[in-house]
Amino acid sequence: MPRLAIHRLSMAHPGDLSELEGVIRRGEVRAGDVRAVIGKTEGNGGLNDFTRGFFTQTLMLLLASHTGEAPSALAARIPCVLSGGTEGALSPHYMVFSVSDEAAPGQRGLALGTAMSPVTPAREIGRVAQIEAVIAAVRAAMADAGIGRPEDVALVQVKAPAPQAPDPAARSTDAKFLMALSRAAAAVGAGVALGDIDAARATEAALLTDLSLYSNRVSISSGVEVTCNEVVVFGYAEGWQDGIVAGVAPMADLLDLAGVQAAFPAAPGEVLGVIAKGEPDRSGAIRGFRHTMLGDTDIDAQRHLRGALGAIVAAVAGDGRVFVSGGAEHQGPPGGGLVCVFARRP
């Protein structure tokens, strides 16, 4: 019977995996059982944020030293979802999700499944091909976890690719815009797979324009360190040991403290990790009052967002090790987002 375990570990710098080395050497985690890693590095979160690739390379080398597998083989099957930017109260950290088989009576518990889409070149980013690739990958990850119904899915986390080099066949020459398009396509694809978005409305033209299309169960990041859509699905399935729960709550806007607070009692017990997505409201106002995040030429809007939302979520969690990511296109209502809490039952 599969058993999911979550270890939230700190890092002294983007290549520091000493805490993971420690839990492996102590026998708390078998390197071969690691199925996914989700974390925050201290880069800028933009196209030139190399902290994510540095961490991923170091991670695969560490796991390879314990498993004997080639780092490239590990990278091809273990999603490494990293979000750059630990502004304000946020603390660099990573969550290691491992799955082991342990004998136990039949139960129903939190399951984890993963899948990788085919390589997504720049010309397919933000197009129907990417949407369809994510739909297929989410369904494959659900099958991997043994999750039979979309309604049993708690959260879909995707790391989507950003263009590594200009391509005249791409939808735009603006690399930052393509990064947003990639998040949007992945979010819409995941939403279709979950039944939260009507497949007939999941068109290229709808991306970043029809913001009525969203799912509050998907969290998407994008970056140049990946070449395909790396998918991790969390949900409830028969045959998985009970003990870890996931509580997910929507956020109506950046100031939705009640939404943040609601996620924690939905996952009672010892908090093992927190994921939050947010978005600077494109209207230029929050609850009728003007904000300046989108017009600041000195500090990127997403850095404003991570600093603000990070402080709110970290204050509720009582811990700066929370995964807070901007760019919440189609991942909640305009200007909103979601919070997911993983916890071990008391």
Side-chain angles (χ1 to χ4, degrees):
M1 173 180 291
R3 174 181 177 272
L4 174 64
I6 303 173
H7 289 77
R8 182 168 53 171
L9 307 172
S10 299
M11 63 178 92
H13 56 77
D16 175 29
L17 281 96
S18 58
E19 292 199 5
L20 177 57
E21 174 74 28
V23 297
I24 291 174
R25 290 196 178 280
R26 291 193 297 273
E28 298 172 28
V29 172
R30 289 182 62 252
D33 290 341
V34 174
R35 293 291 307 279
V37 173
I38 300 175
K40 289 292 297 183
T41 59
E42 59 210 72
N44 59 27
L47 286 159
N48 64 338
D49 182 353
F50 299 107
T51 63
R52 299 171 303 201
F54 179 33
F55 177 94
T56 301
Q57 179 184 59
T58 309
L59 170 67
M60 300 309 167
L61 289 171
L62 171 62
L63 295 178
S65 70
H66 288 277
T67 65
E69 295 181 70
S72 58
L74 291 165
R77 67 175 176 81
I78 300 176
C80 187
V81 182
L82 301 174
S83 171
T86 51
E87 294 81 3
L90 297 177
S91 180
H93 73 287
Y94 53 104
M95 293 172 280
V96 177
F97 298 85
S98 59
V99 176
S100 58
D101 287 322
E102 295 185 8
Q107 297 177 12
R108 175 180 168 85
L110 187 65
L112 175 150
T114 63
M116 304 282 199
S117 79
V119 171
T120 302
R123 64 181 178 275
E124 292 184 1
I125 287 177
R127 298 192 186 276
V128 169
Q130 185 182 11
I131 296 173
E132 292 179 343
V134 173
I135 293 172
V138 170
R139 289 172 176 167
M142 289 173 59
D144 180 51
I147 301 171
R149 305 183 306 168
E151 54 265 40
D152 290 332
V153 173
L155 182 75
V156 175
Q157 176 70 63
V158 181
K159 184 67 183 191
Q164 298 177 331
D167 185 338
R171 281 192 60 179
S172 173
T173 58
D174 184 338
K176 188 174 179 181
F177 177 66
L178 285 175
M179 200 173 183
L181 267 178
S182 189
R183 291 192 299 266
V188 169
V192 170
L194 297 181
D196 294 343
I197 294 176
D198 182 0
R201 298 176 62 193
T203 65
E204 292 179 12
L207 300 180
L208 302 179
T209 58
D210 186 355
L211 299 181
S212 68
L213 300 178
Y214 64 84
S215 171
N216 272 315
R217 295 188 288 164
V218 303
S219 169
I220 317 294
S221 293
S222 60
V224 298
E225 73 276 15
V226 299
T227 59
C228 69
N229 300 280
E230 302 188 356
V231 176
V232 187
V233 170
F234 301 95
Y236 293 91
E238 302 296 331
W240 286 74
Q241 288 196 18
D242 192 14
I244 294 180
V245 292
V248 181
M251 290 180 59
D253 58 34
L254 182 56
L255 300 179
D256 190 2
L257 176 60
V260 175
Q261 292 173 322
F264 286 82
E270 176 192 358
V271 174
L272 302 175
V274 181
I275 293 173
K277 288 294 296 188
E279 181 77 3
D281 198 310
R282 296 185 184 192
S283 71
I286 302 174
R287 302 188 183 184
F289 297 98
R290 186 170 71 94
H291 71 76
T292 62
M293 290 184 281
L294 296 171
D296 191 336
T297 57
D298 295 317
I299 302 175
D300 186 83
Q302 302 302 335
R303 306 200 79 169
H304 277 285
L305 182 284
R306 291 190 296 264
L309 181 58
I312 295 171
V313 178
V316 176
D319 192 323
R321 295 173 301 167
V322 294
F323 179 101
V324 175
S325 173
E329 305 90 349
H330 304 286
Q331 300 155 63
L338 65 87
V339 178
C340 175
V341 176
F342 297 104
R344 182 183 293 110
R345 293 185 190 277

